[in-house]
Amino acid sequence: QAMIVLAAQRAPWRVGSILERVDAVSRPRGSRGFYFPRDRWFPWRQKKAHSRRAALERKRHIWPRYFDPDEDPIVFKHDNIVAHKFQKDCIPLSIKRMQDYTRLLKGRQLQDGIDWLACLARPSSQPIRDILDQAMKECTEVHGWDPARIWIYRLGTASGFYMRRVKFHTKRDATAKGPSLERNPRHKFMLWVREMPLPEFFHRMYIYNKVPRSIRLDMRCALVHKKVPREMEKVWAPYLNSRSRFKHRHALKWRDCTRDFDYYSERRKWIDEYEYNRAREENEARAARGLPPKVAS
């Protein structure tokens, strides 16, 4: 031990590694200390980084400066959320692999999740893509939901059963002797989706400014291919790219600090414009099929 302390004094930059080795040797088998995923990533530093990140996330929000009981709430309670469940059985994937996909899709827009799985180009993601496509088709065609406001509410997996089959080895496999028994999983994957209310959608898109990737890519493609006039670049500035979104949030913060920003009036204006654009898009699609315009209820 005296030699170890002397070596630590001669090389102070290696004190941590030497003490860790001594602790590992002296610790009884079957127990271990805290696992550090990164170098010097101590628990107190993790807590400090997580609190700083949470503070930055809270800083993005702008809340109303007064309470109006006649206005809808910004975030609805879980009791008032209407979600539709979709389930697919007999999926030939393990629970661990399906949980990897749940972590990838959690909290995303449904169309965003479909695009993410399509970009992976992995054959194992095909059953998950099938259930996402089924949810998008049923929600838009049967329930009449807005595809831009369909969000993944919850994801889940459940154990099913295993199918056994006999595998006969070829002559090339010299190590195997005779047939073997394979177990292929057949588990379940569950998906809950909901249509985000317009007040919450406004706060997420315009205030919190977390725009789904599918929406901002469609906007940029429409501008590049000249499907819309150049004036739309100014209208879509809060959503196009990271630089324009940062400027938009900076301008909103300045207006809020100078008391020039009324949350409720800005939300009413944004929702009215969004509903007008949705109605115009639907009437143009009906006119292309030779149908009369839809009468507003």
Side-chain angles (χ1 to χ4, degrees):
Q1 294 181 355
M3 295 179 63
I4 293 175
V5 173
L6 181 62
Q9 292 177 356
R10 292 180 178 177
W13 60 88
R14 299 184 59 188
V15 171
S17 60
I18 293 175
L19 294 180
E20 286 175 5
R21 293 174 186 174
V22 173
D23 189 27
V25 172
S26 61
R27 190 185 302 120
R29 292 186 178 182
S31 64
R32 67 175 180 85
F34 183 79
Y35 171 70
F36 297 99
R38 290 208 300 261
D39 186 25
R40 299 180 181 85
W41 190 240
F42 306 108
W44 61 267
R45 183 168 290 179
Q46 291 186 30
K47 186 176 180 180
K48 191 173 182 179
H50 294 163
S51 62
R52 175 177 171 80
R53 182 175 180 179
L56 291 176
E57 292 292 331
R58 289 193 299 268
K59 189 179 178 182
R60 292 174 68 104
H61 293 283
I62 297 178
W63 305 106
R65 292 188 173 272
Y66 62 93
F67 175 72
D68 192 350
D70 298 331
E71 294 286 344
D72 293 330
I74 298 174
V75 180
F76 289 79
K77 296 182 179 179
H78 291 279
D79 300 338
N80 301 329
I81 291 177
V82 178
H84 290 279
K85 179 183 177 181
F86 299 90
Q87 180 174 333
K88 188 177 180 62
D89 302 335
C90 298
I91 296 182
L93 295 177
S94 63
I95 295 291
K96 184 177 179 181
R97 179 60 58 85
M98 287 194 294
Q99 286 177 351
D100 291 340
Y101 289 121
T102 58
R103 283 191 290 268
L104 176 65
L105 301 173
K106 182 181 178 181
R108 293 188 181 274
Q109 186 200 34
L110 184 58
Q111 184 60 48
D112 235 13
I114 294 174
D115 295 342
W116 268 95
L117 292 184
C119 293
L120 286 179
R122 297 178 65 175
S124 63
S125 66
Q126 188 60 40
I128 314 299
R129 287 181 57 189
D130 293 342
I131 190 173
L132 295 182
D133 293 335
Q134 178 191 353
M136 175 64 77
K137 184 177 181 180
E138 183 172 335
C139 290
T140 54
E141 296 181 2
V142 178
H143 303 290
W145 286 4
D146 182 7
R149 292 191 286 133
I150 301 177
W151 243 258
I152 297 176
Y153 179 58
R154 196 191 306 170
L155 294 158
T157 59
S159 299
F161 58 94
Y162 288 86
M163 292 189 63
R164 295 176 175 83
R165 72 183 185 93
V166 178
K167 180 180 179 182
F168 294 94
H169 301 282
T170 59
K171 294 182 180 180
R172 298 177 183 177
D173 193 354
T175 59
K177 296 181 180 179
S180 63
L181 195 64
E182 280 190 347
R183 298 173 71 246
N184 297 322
R186 294 295 185 270
H187 296 312
K188 303 176 184 178
F189 187 84
M190 293 163 288
L191 167 72
W192 287 265
V193 295
R194 71 182 182 102
E195 186 182 28
M196 185 176 290
L198 280 173
E200 186 178 353
F201 189 59
F202 160 77
H203 189 86
R204 185 179 182 87
M205 293 279 293
Y206 194 78
I207 303 296
Y208 193 56
N209 212 212
K210 289 287 187 178
V211 187
R213 184 166 300 192
S214 60
I215 294 180
R216 59 178 186 254
L217 284 180
D218 290 343
M219 290 180 175
R220 291 202 291 264
C221 289
L223 288 171
V224 169
H225 298 297
K226 299 181 180 179
K227 295 182 179 179
V228 294
R230 296 294 298 179
E231 290 80 9
M232 294 303 298
E233 185 174 354
K234 183 178 180 181
V235 178
W236 290 345
Y239 322 105
L240 283 178
N241 51 46
S242 60
R243 184 63 181 173
S244 66
R245 290 194 296 272
F246 174 77
K247 290 183 177 180
H248 166 71
R249 293 195 303 272
H250 186 75
L252 284 185
K253 284 288 184 180
W254 174 256
R255 289 178 57 191
D256 184 61
C257 292
T258 56
R259 305 300 193 272
D260 189 35
F261 179 75
D262 189 0
Y263 185 93
Y264 293 120
S265 62
E266 195 82 13
R267 186 173 73 175
R268 285 192 296 268
K269 179 182 176 182
W270 191 91
I271 289 177
D272 291 341
E273 186 177 357
Y274 183 82
E275 289 180 341
Y276 171 75
N277 291 332
R278 283 281 301 161
R280 186 186 63 180
E281 180 185 3
E282 186 175 356
N283 289 332
E284 288 177 356
R286 291 174 64 90
R289 296 192 300 266
L291 299 175
K294 186 178 181 180
V295 180
S297 57

